[in-house]
Amino acid sequence: MGMTDVLVVGAGPTGLVLACDLARRGVAVRIVDRSAAPPRTSRAKGPNPRSLEILDDLGVVEEVLAAGSAPLPMLKYRDRLPVAESDPWADSAPAPDVPYDRGWLNAQWRLEEILRERLGGYGVRVELGREVVGLAEGAGGRHVDVMFAEGRTERARYVVGCDGAHSSVRKLLGIGFEGTTAEDQVMVCGDVELAGDALDRTRWHQWFDADGAVMLCPIPGTRTGWWFQAGPERDGAGRPLAPTTDGFRRLLARHTALPGRALTRAELLSTYRVNVRMADRFRAGRVLLAGDAAHVHAIAGGLGMNTGIHDAFNLGWKLGLVLAGHAGAELLDTYEEERLPVAARTLDLTSERLRATLEAIRRPGGGLDAAITPDTTGLGVGYRWSSLAPAPVEAPQAGDRAPDGGGPAPLPGDRAPDAPCADAATGARTRLHRVFAGPRTTVLGFGPGSAAVLREVADAYGDAGVRTCRVYAAHEDRTREDRAHEDRTHEDRSHEHRAGAAPGSVVDDAGHAAAAYGTGASGATGAGTVVVVRPDHHVGVVASADDARSVREYLRRLHGSERPPERSPGMVDAVR
């Protein structure tokens, strides 16, 4: 019986992001879904800013942005008349450390299509119509036997259940899914088509009345398609009725100034109930859970799909390092250690945002903008409590500010900030998150004193999943440091613009990197600072450059202690 490294069960956004991340690491990954065809659903309204950073890392953000639209202003109505308009993003703008300041409207089926195409580029296809009906630990606990509905049994080193709130994988493991279902908090949803000129497609229209609500948001990439959400029709006893096309027409006529016949088609009809539930563990041996299989929560804030994407990005690199033999299997314990508290906090956050929204819509002019806060961007999520976040040694402290008034220095566990800079060899514009992109750990060096640590890391790990990046201040003399690198690089020295910079380095020409990382003027004399950034853009270590031991110990934990004889086979960087 053949063996695959990782079997991903469920081909929604969570499963697809995980499969893409594993495939580019050279992991033998397969992905199955019980649906006979890819679902043509647009449930989630799109990626939030943190998800856009992840999609950027995976090399698909340009397609995602092109396929969608910026979030729209919200036009609120009462008794069929417009009463208020708000744009929650009016005062927002990209910043040097945050290139994506707002989420993006995308139909979920289109996002999944883009991710399937990306996965296909690695030679991996979604296996449709395959339902998992049994899981058993293999002999010696070294693999999992997976039974399928068609009677076949297949073998995988690890299985990840990304198969949604009704997860078969979770149920087969007997993992509890504790929480509540609010039977009275119900919404009917669907994708509808409206007569061509029925509504302005540059607005998200929201009718909130004392006796119900209708919300219509245009689906990007369609001419007449809209997301329809509404309070349900109810029977004489007040019980919610199942959604129907005619029911949608009646709701439209009751709450809006449109006639029911303006709704020409309705499909993918569903009833949404507020479920707030979480698995009591995210790992059982060689089987793990991610996305809705591990946690479901209120829809407010749009964090369902996004939290799953972030789960996948946390898990992918850990599975990759364990399967490559660099890290011990205990690294996988840090997935639950980091993501379970985030899921618990997300349940609380979305429940609070739902409460705030329900309160807001009781007043004319209130709407879904009440659900949007800085917490819903995903950018503030970090793991300072994690065992992968050792306390910084002789490094900038939280709250320390760079001399130019930059933000607080990030601590281990925090999201690693982005910063625009220039490629030191070519002068081309780039960003730190582009430097981080691809399946590797990055070691940043600020200040001349960091050069020795970067050389030691490059010598120890070479191409084995670790890259080094010297961040030069604009005024630094790069020729002196370069001489120390000359016998260590095969760079073509015939081009003058390449001289004077360590390979793979950048110039912090506007000081944004120094400000973001709290290192002050990185060209100043002194030891300098070294920052280890995990493959998922979170800070691992912040250390003074004369504390090479902290850097060495951290990298040894993730990547082992010896440089492999040659580049890891199949390691594929994101195509840019």
Side-chain angles (χ1 to χ4, degrees), residues 438-454:
R440 298 185 187 192
T441 299
T442 303
V443 183
L444 298 177
F446 294 86
S450 68
V453 180
L454 296 187

Side-chain angles (χ1 to χ4, degrees), residues 212-573:
V214 168
M215 293 152 275
L216 282 164
C217 183
I219 301 174
T222 65
R223 223 166 36 80
T224 56
W226 297 76
W227 281 293
F228 181 100
Q229 297 166 285
E233 294 186 296
R234 295 182 181 268
D235 65 15
R239 291 183 296 255
L241 295 172
T244 64
T245 301
D246 282 343
F248 279 12
R249 289 186 174 122
R250 287 190 293 270
L251 287 165
L252 194 71
R254 181 189 309 161
H255 294 287
T256 82
L258 297 173
R261 67 176 181 278
L263 193 155
T264 57
R265 189 165 131 203
E267 55 191 356
L268 303 168
L269 308 189
S270 64
T271 298
Y272 169 82
R273 282 181 174 78
V274 176
N275 274 302
V276 181
R277 296 180 181 274
M278 193 168 82
D280 48 39
R281 55 201 167 115
F282 289 6
R283 181 184 179 202
R286 289 179 171 269
V287 186
L288 301 104
L289 301 174
D292 285 357
H295 43 75
V296 292
H297 42 76
I299 200 169
L303 290 173
M305 175 187 79
N306 287 293
T307 305
I309 288 173
H310 307 168
D311 285 349
F313 204 56
N314 182 286
L315 179 57
W317 67 274
K318 296 173 181 178
L319 277 169
L321 288 177
V322 170
L323 285 161
H326 297 305
E330 62 273 9
L331 181 63
L332 297 179
D333 291 332
T334 68
Y335 167 64
E336 179 180 294
E337 179 191 3
E338 293 182 341
R339 293 303 298 172
L340 194 147
V342 170
R345 183 173 174 279
T346 303
L347 264 59
D348 291 343
L349 170 66
T350 51
S351 295
E352 163 57 26
R353 288 298 90 210
L354 177 65
R355 187 201 60 72
T357 303
L358 292 174
E359 193 174 296
I361 63 177
R362 298 201 333 235
R363 300 183 301 275
L368 299 187
D369 45 327
I372 297 165
T373 72
D375 281 339
T376 59
T377 65
L379 296 169
V381 172
Y383 313 114
R384 290 186 186 180
W385 62 84
S386 169
S387 60
L388 289 181
V393 181
E394 292 182 52
Q397 297 302 302
D400 280 1
R401 289 186 170 268
D404 63 357
L411 285 177
D414 292 352
R415 168 188 169 272
D418 202 354
C421 44
D423 185 293
T426 66
R429 300 308 304 168
T430 186
R431 296 192 276 113
L432 285 185
H433 275 208
R434 286 286 162 95
V435 173
F436 302 159
R440 298 185 187 192
T441 299
T442 303
V443 183
L444 298 177
F446 294 86
S450 68
V453 180
L454 296 187
R455 281 198 299 274
E456 181 184 327
V457 169
D459 287 345
Y461 292 98
D463 279 336
V466 183
R467 65 163 76 78
T468 58
C469 175
R470 175 72 167 86
V471 183
Y472 293 105
H475 58 270
E476 267 187 86
D477 173 15
R478 300 193 286 281
T479 55
R480 188 181 57 217
E481 218 171 282
D482 186 58
R483 279 197 290 273
H485 275 269
E486 280 204 327
D487 60 345
R488 290 178 170 83
T489 178
H490 303 295
E491 287 287 329
D492 176 8
R493 294 278 162 204
S494 61
H495 299 294
E496 277 191 14
H497 63 255
R498 293 193 177 211
S505 55
V506 296
V507 180
D508 184 22
D509 48 359
H512 291 305
Y517 287 83
T519 62
S522 58
T525 57
T529 302
V530 177
V531 182
V532 180
V533 180
R534 303 168 6 168
D536 59 353
H537 315 158
H538 285 268
V539 174
V541 169
V542 184
S544 170
D546 56 14
D547 178 28
R549 186 177 60 84
S550 291
V551 175
R552 202 181 297 127
E553 287 177 356
Y554 195 84
L555 291 175
R556 188 178 297 132
R557 181 170 178 195
L558 300 186
H559 294 273
S561 55
E562 294 177 16
R563 177 178 181 167
E566 58 187 39
R567 182 178 170 88
S568 303
M571 182 79 82
V572 188
D573 273 318

